[in-house]
């Protein structure tokens, strides 16, 4: 949580969940702005290419020297960005 104190009020900023951007970065200095996994030069697109071709996440991890927590965290954050936590009504 971050607290900023102003003359008349206190603002609170906190994060309930992990964001996709916690796992990727986009900078002109790395592959011309192609989204890459944070701290690497591995394009996120490559993971999706692997999955599209029928390979597993483990196959991707075996091929590239990347922290598995980074990849799994990205996938979870991506999934969570599309879910609200509300149960479907039946």
């Amino acid at each position: 949580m971050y607290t900023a104190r102003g003359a008349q009020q206190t603002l609170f900023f906190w994060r309930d969940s992990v964001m996709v951007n916690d796992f990727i970065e986009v900078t002109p200095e790395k592959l011309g702005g192609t989204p890459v996994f944070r701290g690497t030069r591995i394009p996120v697109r490559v993971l999706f290419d692997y999955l599209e071709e029928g390979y597993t996440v483990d196959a991707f991890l075996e091929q590239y020297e990347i922290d598995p927590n980074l990849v799994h965290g990205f996938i979870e954050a991506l999934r969570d960005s599309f879910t609200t936590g509300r149960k479907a009504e039946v």
Side-chain angles (χ1 to χ4, degrees):
M1 181 169 63
Y2 172 78
T3 305
R5 296 200 180 266
Q8 298 179 1
Q9 64 181 350
T10 301
L11 302 175
F12 295 97
F13 301 95
W14 65 89
R15 293 176 20 180
D16 305 12
S17 61
V18 179
M19 305 295 290
V20 171
N21 287 344
D22 292 338
F23 301 96
I24 64 170
E25 58 184 311
V26 179
T27 60
E29 297 81 28
K30 286 192 178 181
L31 301 178
T34 298
V36 297
F37 286 101
R38 189 164 295 286
T40 76
R41 294 181 64 79
I42 302 169
V44 173
R45 176 193 76 246
V46 174
L47 172 62
F48 290 111
D49 289 346
Y50 262 70
L51 297 175
E52 186 177 23
E53 291 295 322
Y55 292 101
T56 64
V57 172
D58 287 335
F60 174 80
L61 293 171
E62 289 174 14
Q63 184 67 33
Y64 292 92
E65 192 171 314
I66 187 170
D67 180 358
N69 294 322
L70 185 65
V71 175
H72 290 290
F74 167 75
I75 293 169
E76 289 175 21
L78 186 62
R79 178 201 62 210
D80 291 348
S81 72
F82 290 99
T83 59
T84 62
R86 292 180 289 173
K87 293 186 178 183
E89 295 181 24
V90 180

